[in-house]
Amino acid sequence: MAKPQPNFEPQASTLREMVRKGARIAFRAHALAEMEKDGIVRLDVEAILGRCKVTLIEDRRGEETWRAEGVDCDGRRIVAVVVWKSEEFEIKVITSWAG
């Protein structure tokens, strides 16, 4: 019997809604460096966050990170690991890559 997949739709819904409401999207230096390696621009990440699926939630150094996945306008799969800072109305992009 296949193991049931976790449902992270509430978190994905939060990200999509916050992007629509104009949440600030901040990028850590590490994210920008990794994005440059894969030819990803900020608009690509912002766009996928607005229609993403969350596939993993982890605790990293005391922060809950969400792995958001989607495709850019060319159909390329983009992954972004983010932290939702509700008190700051900010989505912090920790890292991102194409794959």
Side-chain angles (χ1 to χ4, degrees):
M1 178 179 257
K3 184 177 176 183
Q5 295 297 313
N7 179 5
F8 301 124
E9 181 52 32
Q11 292 82 359
S13 180
T14 295
L15 285 178
R16 294 188 302 259
E17 182 179 354
M18 294 307 103
V19 168
R20 279 192 297 278
K21 289 184 174 182
R24 180 174 184 272
I25 301 175
F27 293 80
R28 287 195 178 161
H30 173 76
L32 294 171
E34 292 300 312
M35 289 163 54
E36 186 174 342
K37 287 180 190 175
D38 286 350
I40 302 170
V41 296
R42 290 175 188 240
L43 286 176
D44 290 334
V45 174
E46 292 169 5
I48 69 114
L49 290 175
R51 57 182 186 272
C52 70
K53 177 179 179 180
V54 172
T55 59
L56 182 66
I57 295 178
E58 295 182 304
D59 184 348
R60 292 188 181 181
R61 299 182 188 126
E63 287 185 312
E64 184 177 88
T65 61
W66 300 350
R67 180 182 292 178
E69 299 186 26
V71 294
D72 68 8
C73 62
D74 295 324
R76 179 174 60 155
R77 186 172 155 265
I78 305 279
V79 179
V81 177
V82 303
V83 174
W84 166 239
K85 302 279 193 175
S86 60
E87 64 282 352
E88 297 160 22
F89 198 58
E90 176 183 81
I91 299 167
K92 186 175 289 185
V93 180
I94 307 303
T95 192
S96 184
W97 64 90

